[in-house]
Amino acid sequence: MSDPTAEVTHTVAGGVAYLTLNRPEALNAITPAQRDVLIGLLGDASADPTIRAVVLTGTGRGFCAGADLRGGGASTGAGRVAGDVARMIRLGAQRLIAAVLDCEKPVIAAVNGTAAGLGAHLALACDLVLAAESARFIEVFVRRGLVPDGGGAYLLPRLLGPQRAKELMFFGDALTAPEAERLGLVNRVVPDRELAKTAREWAERLATGPTIALALTKQLVNASLDSDRATAFAAEAAAQEINMTTQDAREGWRASWSGEARSTAGGEPRRRAAQRVGGSGVVASTVSQVMRADEVLSVLELLRRAEADVWIGGGWGIDALIGEQTRDHRDLDLMHRRDQEAAVLAALSAEGFVETLDWRPIRFVMTAPDGRELDLHPLVFAPDGSATQASPNRNTPSPTPPPAS
């Protein structure tokens, strides 16, 4: 008897789990034992915080030729007990498709060849579908006198609409990869030799994303197809409420506010603010010059080129965040490390952005790794080089995140 664990290879690299059907001699038709291994691996990937994306593919010329029941299945003879077939479908093909749909990590199908019957539905249940030019999708059930299973009558109408779904299921004609892409079943068709590379690039990009936000987004989209508007809107609001408690959301908002890129560690990225501040203290400077939000973005670009660690403040910061380019602001508040004062001033002065500078204390609150809020009262440097300790009574509050739009 073959080892089902050897027939589904499993590797992890860069936060991505690669699951490969490995029965090329059978075009990767899935046995019951192999199916159970795959369900278990999807469940493990869903629960493992170090795995942030999944790629599902096959070896050889086939992605998956469907279910292989030669080793046992529902009998059509006198020995069959009423309910056997329904039970087999519920605990077999349907459970596999549910494992893909319910996986909390994005699942990419890299369809390397024929995807027929259950194999086609396995690919289409994935969140993103990449297909090699040689791939084909076949609703093979009608050719065998069978009703589609493995969630086919659930998935296809939602992807294509009922008329197109019926056409594929009634005739069982093979659908080429370009045709599948045209119908919207496939995200992208690539040359066969580029399939593995493209799947890896997509998965690695997902692995650097906000994992919890992606999981909630997947859940919302999948559930929306079965929901009315009120239910979908309520679920969206609840998901946003949950997500705003994550470190990803706090990091992402702060990155947008400061004009810097969000940490791409994936999952719950480490906070970089504490490292930026260090023991150097924070200084706030105000550029007393009327400027639009788009001009302010140019200022930040100058400061990034000067390799200055800068936070931004003032009403213009919110305008820039929400894309508003029309309001003018008299004061541009910049918060930066005191040891970078000269670099910040030089970068601004060189471009004529500075008329006067007013150095003043600020209140900077950040969250420590243990969850405690730290209120920093840094040293403040005046233009003449003198330094004073910021007083809590004179501090201006740090901005709070705008409500999610």
Side-chain angles (χ1 to χ4, degrees):
M1 178 180 291
S2 60
D3 179 5
T5 60
E7 294 173 348
V8 181
T9 65
H10 172 225
T11 60
V12 176
V16 180
Y18 295 88
L19 310 182
T20 305
L21 301 176
N22 190 30
R23 294 183 69 221
E25 72 283 356
L27 293 180
N28 296 313
I30 298 180
T31 65
Q34 193 180 15
R35 176 199 65 214
D36 291 343
V37 170
L38 189 55
I39 291 171
L41 290 172
L42 287 165
D44 292 344
S46 187
D48 188 344
T50 66
I51 294 177
R52 299 186 288 273
V54 177
V55 173
L56 179 60
T57 191
T59 56
R61 297 181 299 107
F63 172 76
C64 175
D68 186 343
L69 301 178
R70 289 176 295 179
S75 170
T76 58
R80 181 172 65 84
V81 176
D84 279 353
V85 174
R87 187 180 306 106
M88 180 189 70
I89 297 299
R90 284 199 312 272
L91 300 180
Q94 290 177 353
R95 193 161 61 97
L96 174 59
I97 299 304
V100 177
L101 293 171
D102 296 339
C103 182
E104 296 177 19
K105 310 300 167 59
V107 182
I108 298 174
V111 183
N112 55 297
T114 298
L118 175 60
H121 302 163
L122 179 61
L124 299 178
C126 293
D127 303 299
L128 300 169
V129 182
L130 297 171
E133 290 175 341
S134 63
R136 298 188 307 160
F137 298 82
I138 310 172
E139 287 297 312
V140 74
F141 300 94
V142 69
R143 300 184 185 182
R144 299 172 181 170
L146 299 176
V147 173
D149 63 26
Y154 173 85
L155 293 168
L156 280 173
R158 286 164 169 77
L159 294 169
L160 297 174
Q163 302 306 117
R164 285 288 193 179
K166 290 173 185 175
E167 178 183 345
L168 293 180
M169 291 178 169
F170 286 180
F171 294 114
D173 294 333
L175 198 65
T176 66
E179 289 171 332
E181 183 181 33
R182 179 177 58 82
L183 291 175
L185 293 175
V186 168
N187 293 90
R188 186 173 300 177
V189 176
V190 299
D192 288 38
R193 66 181 181 277
E194 295 181 12
L195 179 64
K197 175 177 176 289
T198 304
R200 183 176 64 254
E201 290 172 348
W202 281 36
E204 289 175 348
R205 185 176 176 185
L206 290 170
T208 64
T211 307
I212 295 175
L214 291 176
L216 291 169
T217 301
K218 173 176 179 173
Q219 185 181 61
L220 284 175
V221 173
N222 288 352
S224 71
L225 299 172
D226 301 315
S227 303
D228 57 35
R229 180 186 60 80
T231 301
F233 277 24
E236 178 186 274
Q240 194 72 284
E241 177 74 22
I242 293 169
N243 191 65
M244 289 302 288
T245 67
T246 67
Q247 195 163 326
D248 269 334
R250 294 192 297 270
E251 175 91 3
W253 180 85
R254 184 169 279 110
S256 298
W257 179 59
S258 66
E260 298 175 355
R262 188 188 70 83
S263 170
T264 58
E268 287 281 277
R270 61 185 175 84
R271 297 303 295 275
R272 296 179 297 172
Q275 292 187 340
R276 286 201 305 258
V277 175
S280 302
V282 177
V283 177
S285 58
T286 297
V287 180
S288 297
Q289 178 173 325
V290 175
M291 58 179 65
R292 300 186 310 275
D294 58 339
E295 293 178 309
V296 172
L297 296 177
S298 298
V299 171
L300 283 183
E301 180 58 33
L302 287 171
L303 295 173
R304 280 197 293 271
R305 289 205 296 266
E307 297 184 350
D309 292 325
V310 176
W311 297 264
I312 60 177
W316 75 266
I318 302 303
D319 282 358
L321 180 63
I322 65 176
E324 174 61 63
Q325 302 290 316
T326 57
R327 288 180 55 192
D328 292 342
H329 296 279
R330 178 63 188 173
D331 295 329
L332 162 61
D333 296 334
L334 298 174
M335 294 158 274
H336 51 84
R337 284 173 25 192
R338 63 177 174 82
D339 60 349
Q340 294 183 333
E341 177 184 33
V344 171
L345 180 59
L348 293 174
S349 300
E351 296 295 328
F353 277 110
V354 178
E355 291 180 354
T356 60
L357 285 174
D358 172 29
W359 303 90
R360 59 179 179 170
I362 63 165
R363 178 171 180 262
F364 188 78
V365 178
M366 71 178 202
T367 303
D370 61 4
R372 292 179 300 119
E373 279 200 344
L374 303 180
D375 193 349
L376 307 180
H377 302 299
L379 292 174
V380 177
F381 277 64
D384 62 4
S386 62
T388 57
Q389 183 72 35
S391 166
N393 295 330
R394 298 170 54 212
N395 289 346
T396 58
S398 59
T400 56
S405 60

